Amino acid sequence: RESLYDQTVSRVAPFVRCRECNVILEDVPKEAVIGRLPEKVREYYERFKRCPGCDRVYWEGTHFARMQGVLRRLAGATLSGG
């Protein structure tokens, strides 16, 4: 059975559009953006997305994890009526 969080995420589709220009993000190989990444990001992350509109690069770092937590809390509040 699909959780409320999963149902919400599938409808809302977070993390698929650029937060700057709202264009749909594209997967990009690490090698294509490695020169633009902070040292720790180069070291710890392997999956990246790039906005074809503004060329911004995204990865699933701490901000991504925090935002997933926010969505989970919102889905839980919706489920409990809060």
Side-chain angles (χ1 to χ4, degrees):
R1 182 179 152 183
E2 192 175 43
S3 71
L4 182 59
Y5 170 79
D6 292 330
Q7 292 172 23
T8 302
V9 166
S10 67
R11 276 191 238 125
V12 176
F15 318 117
V16 298
R17 290 189 176 268
C18 178
R19 68 179 186 165
E20 296 298 318
C21 67
N22 204 38
V23 172
I24 293 177
L25 301 175
E26 299 176 340
D27 291 329
V28 62
K30 184 177 187 175
E31 299 77 30
V33 295
I34 198 160
R36 300 173 54 191
L37 303 174
E39 182 180 340
K40 294 288 185 184
V41 172
R42 281 191 297 251
E43 187 176 339
Y44 292 109
Y45 296 94
E46 297 299 321
R47 294 176 29 194
F48 299 90
K49 293 193 177 280
R50 185 187 65 82
C51 175
C54 68
D55 208 34
R56 188 177 183 98
V57 177
Y58 294 88
W59 57 92
E60 294 181 2
T62 56
H63 177 74
F64 177 83
R66 282 192 307 270
M67 292 308 298
Q68 279 188 312
V70 167
L71 290 173
R72 286 188 191 281
R73 286 191 300 280
L74 289 173
T78 302
L79 183 61
S80 65

